[in-house]
Amino acid sequence: MSPPSNYYVQKIFDTYAKSQLTFVQNFAGHAAKLEYVECLSKCNAVEIVQPLLDNIDPEVRVNAVLGLTMLAGNSKKCAKQILCADNLLKKLLGQIANENKCYKKNCMNLIRNLSKHLSCSEMIVNECDGIHAILTCMKDLDVLVREVALQAISFIAGQDPSISQVIIKSGILPQIVQSLREERHNLKLYGLSTLSEIAKHNQQLAKQIVDVQTLPNVIIFLSTDYFTDVKLQVNALALMKNIAKHSLSLTEIVVETNLFPEILLLMAHPVESIRFNSAEVVYEIVKHSIQISKMIVTTGGIVSLLNVILKSKEYPSTPAILALGCISSVSPLLATAVIKSKVLKHLTAILKSDLDDDYLKASTAWTLEMIGQHSSKHSKSIFTCHAMSAMIDVYNNTSSTHEAHCKCKNAIQIILNKCEDFSVIEKLLTPSIPIQIMIDVLLKISKMLPKSFKARRIFINNGHLKMIQNLKPEINSYLYHVIKSVNCCFPENILQMVAGEIPESILKKLDNFVPKSQYLLNDQDIQMSNSFTNPDK
């Protein structure tokens, strides 16, 4: 029998090579579809494909990496299998410098997809020399390779501040900043995103970004020249926010980049995501500086923030509300400016709304507290717009979160203690008032009644004295002692007649009645630390 010809031998090997390519192409195609992911995981696809990463054919290697990339993007379980596969990721990244642009793009996308699901940045950076691989891709002549490299570094930088520090030490930061000056849109976008992810961690990292002259390149994106480029402006605003939030010194650097008046104009932008992000920047800025708060008020910033609140639909108006709270906390004058801008009725409307956002309502309560804490005049404005009753309703709502519950309680106490208008305070005493709020109201009233016979008459005529006599608190409870403190402000004969009609002749004697000293402050039994407790303190 004659030996087989070279043609048939070559055909056997060609068929084998072709079948390998067909296999990885089919694998990549199925890995891109969610319905096949579970099946591929059960078939140990990662383990089977791994040897093909060393295949002599570059097209086989590219498709093998592409399939793993798709698999990692569609399944957390498969991402974990890839990450745990022996030496797989280290080998992929180690040979990246000698591979073509498709291989590089797929590797960078694999890092991005792994980082979506898992906290794997430490392993990628420290065990697999991922920074070197990313640097290699950042220097590639192909624009698309540089884009996916920026995306990959953005994902791993956002996971851990120590990894961000390693990234900066690698010397890659100037290249990232350089991407902001590129003509290609996505390079600018991913560059901003990467810098923002690094800056968000701490003051040191944010300062290092500022030190390489990043901000002059960023402020350009907030100008009217980029008015229609929503993604760029949103990412630029996010970077500004993540730098300014850490300290006063960084805030001042951000402001010195001519942030104003552009930021105020952006709060009137037709796109809601830009209005929202602009309000976040303003909030982070006013937290640190009294002077900036004053500047925002004098340049019409309150109106801009109110515009964000009124037009909020898909995004919460929380940053704008918190910014108003920070501005109001600075001084009585600025709080008055906020009140005159007719903000209070809109804050009250948020508390009364059926929005299922307790963080928004908690923030609103805190802002109202900042406004009302300064004086009786400020606190009365809160009462006048019915915000107090709205906060009581949120406090009384059993579905409210603990944070909303506490913020409303604190705001009510602070505003109540500042108010000196008896006529608005006593209106809070309704049948639906929670016991803890009633205690605060009665405690405040017990301090006002001895000073005003008119207040004592109002308290009787409106039926509130009768109402509290009908309460049956436990002996020695906090409510019991607060009611006793209020009763001390009235003659004994009036307390005995309160259930019926009190003659005018008796009420006239009330005008000259001198109440006893404040019960809660002087009674020896009350001064004992264990005689009663306030359950809310």
Side-chain angles (χ1 to χ4, degrees):
M1 186 176 180
S2 60
S5 67
N6 290 339
Y7 170 75
Y8 289 111
V9 173
Q10 184 65 44
K11 189 174 181 181
I12 290 169
F13 281 94
D14 287 345
T15 302
Y16 174 66
K18 188 176 180 181
S19 65
Q20 287 180 312
L21 180 57
T22 303
F23 170 75
V24 290
Q25 286 174 336
N26 286 330
F27 164 63
H30 284 80
K33 300 174 182 177
L34 282 172
E35 59 265 32
Y36 296 116
V37 169
E38 186 62 31
C39 181
L40 288 170
S41 176
K42 290 179 180 178
C43 293
N44 298 317
V46 174
E47 185 179 340
I48 293 169
V49 171
Q50 187 171 353
L52 295 174
L53 297 171
D54 293 323
N55 195 279
I56 194 170
D57 185 351
E59 197 171 353
V60 171
R61 297 198 301 272
V62 166
N63 279 278
V65 179
L66 177 61
L68 293 174
T69 300
M70 296 298 179
L71 209 55
N74 286 329
S75 167
K76 182 178 180 179
K77 181 181 177 181
C78 291
K80 193 171 183 179
Q81 289 174 352
I82 294 168
L83 204 62
C84 296
D86 185 35
N87 219 28
L88 186 155
L89 199 57
K90 186 175 182 179
K91 184 179 292 185
L92 277 178
L93 298 177
Q95 63 193 36
I96 201 169
N98 302 318
E99 295 289 349
N100 61 31
K101 63 181 181 181
C102 291
Y103 185 96
K104 291 174 181 176
K105 282 191 291 184
N106 290 342
C107 277
M108 293 297 101
N109 280 325
L110 177 59
I111 290 176
R112 183 195 64 184
N113 288 347
L114 289 172
S115 302
K116 278 183 182 178
H117 299 298
L118 305 165
S119 297
C120 58
S121 49
E122 186 174 350
M123 179 180 176
I124 291 169
V125 171
N126 297 330
E127 296 179 27
C128 305
D129 198 15
I131 293 295
H132 178 74
I134 294 171
L135 270 168
T136 301
C137 293
M138 284 284 292
K139 295 175 182 177
D140 198 273
L141 295 176
D142 189 273
V143 176
L144 293 176
V145 173
R146 299 205 301 274
E147 284 181 9
V148 292
L150 276 170
Q151 282 186 292
I153 204 168
S154 175
F155 272 90
I156 64 173
Q159 291 184 357
D160 189 85
S162 62
I163 299 301
S164 291
Q165 189 61 57
V166 172
I167 290 169
I168 289 178
K169 285 183 178 179
S170 71
I172 201 172
L173 200 57
Q175 284 181 267
I176 299 173
V177 176
Q178 174 61 35
S179 68
L180 304 183
R181 296 191 285 268
E182 297 277 356
E183 288 186 15
R184 188 150 176 110
H185 175 273
N186 283 349
L187 281 173
K188 296 175 183 177
L189 189 64
Y190 300 144
L192 287 169
S193 175
T194 302
L195 292 167
S196 184
E197 289 297 321
I198 295 171
K200 74 180 183 182
H201 292 298
N202 56 49
Q203 182 179 347
Q204 181 187 3
L205 291 169
K207 181 68 166 60
Q208 287 175 296
I209 287 175
V210 169
D211 288 343
V212 291
Q213 297 302 307
T214 302
L215 291 180
N217 294 290
V218 177
I219 197 69
I220 295 169
F221 301 128
L222 302 185
S223 68
T224 53
D225 293 340
Y226 290 88
F227 192 76
T228 57
D229 202 324
V230 174
K231 288 185 178 179
L232 268 181
Q233 291 202 322
V234 165
N235 278 271
L237 289 166
L239 175 55
M240 289 289 194
K241 176 194 74 173
N242 285 332
I243 291 173
K245 71 180 183 179
H246 296 295
S247 68
L248 173 58
S249 60
L250 288 172
T251 293
E252 289 173 342
I253 292 170
V254 168
V255 173
E256 286 169 4
T257 59
N258 297 320
L259 183 64
F260 292 89
E262 277 78 6
I263 195 71
L264 300 181
L265 297 174
L266 288 173
M267 285 196 285
H269 198 282
V271 178
E272 187 175 358
S273 59
I274 291 181
R275 296 198 300 269
F276 172 80
N277 281 275
S278 300
E280 282 200 312
V281 174
V282 172
Y283 166 56
E284 296 298 344
I285 286 172
V286 296
K287 282 198 308 185
H288 296 294
S289 173
I290 295 175
Q291 296 304 320
I292 294 173
S293 293
K294 291 178 179 178
M295 180 187 69
I296 287 174
V297 172
T298 55
T299 54
I302 296 177
V303 175
S304 299
L305 290 167
L306 181 57
N307 179 68
V308 175
I309 295 170
L310 294 177
K311 293 184 178 180
S312 291
K313 292 179 182 178
E314 295 181 7
Y315 290 78
S317 55
T318 311
I321 291 170
L322 290 172
L324 288 171
C326 291
I327 291 169
S328 300
S329 67
V330 170
S331 72
L333 191 61
L334 295 186
T336 300
V338 171
I339 292 170
K340 288 183 177 179
S341 298
K342 300 181 180 179
V343 167
L344 294 181
K345 67 177 182 179
H346 301 295
L347 298 182
T348 304
I350 290 170
L351 292 171
K352 291 182 176 180
S353 70
D354 55 0
L355 290 171
D356 188 21
D357 188 345
D358 278 0
Y359 180 65
L360 174 64
K361 293 184 178 181
S363 302
T364 303
W366 177 81
T367 294
L368 289 167
E369 178 187 335
M370 295 301 102
I371 296 170
Q373 68 177 336
H374 294 290
S375 69
S376 178
K377 186 178 179 181
H378 291 88
S379 61
K380 185 178 178 180
S381 298
I382 308 293
F383 276 90
T384 305
C385 70
H386 307 293
M388 289 291 279
S389 57
M391 283 191 285
I392 289 172
D393 290 339
V394 174
Y395 174 88
N396 209 23
N397 189 341
T398 54
S399 64
S400 294
T401 62
H402 177 71
E403 183 179 15
H405 190 87
C406 291
K407 291 291 184 184
C408 286
K409 181 69 163 64
N410 290 341
I412 290 166
Q413 286 181 324
I414 296 296
I415 297 166
L416 182 64
N417 286 333
K418 276 293 176 183
C419 188
E420 297 299 331
D421 191 320
F422 185 85
S423 63
V424 296
I425 292 175
E426 60 99 24
K427 288 178 182 176
L428 294 179
L429 292 173
T430 62
S432 61
I433 189 171
I435 290 297
Q436 291 307 319
I437 303 298
M438 180 186 288
I439 289 172
D440 291 329
V441 174
L442 290 176
L443 195 57
K444 176 66 176 179
I445 284 174
S446 71
K447 296 174 183 177
M448 300 178 76
L449 288 174
K451 303 173 186 176
S452 171
F453 70 87
K454 290 183 179 179
R456 297 197 290 272
R457 271 184 171 259
I458 292 171
F459 198 69
I460 293 172
N461 292 336
N462 289 345
H464 292 134
L465 184 61
K466 179 181 178 181
M467 181 192 80
I468 65 172
Q469 306 311 312
N470 293 333
L471 298 175
K472 304 297 180 185
E474 292 184 11
I475 302 297
N476 226 30
S477 67
Y478 200 80
L479 178 60
Y480 171 85
H481 290 291
V482 171
I483 292 173
K484 198 170 180 182
S485 181
V486 173
N487 288 343
C488 286
C489 300
F490 297 92
E492 193 64 37
N493 60 338
I494 286 184
L495 293 174
Q496 293 171 357
M497 300 172 65
V498 75
E501 187 119 354
I502 302 175
E504 181 61 28
S505 57
I506 300 294
L507 289 176
K508 283 183 178 180
K509 294 180 180 179
L510 180 66
D511 299 345
N512 299 319
F513 175 71
V514 179
K516 302 175 185 177
S517 298
Q518 282 195 337
Y519 170 78
L520 279 175
L521 298 178
N522 292 281
D523 191 298
Q524 293 299 316
D525 293 332
I526 303 306
Q527 290 180 2
M528 294 174 61
S529 60
N530 295 321
S531 63
F532 71 98
T533 57
N534 182 349
D536 206 52
K537 293 186 179 181

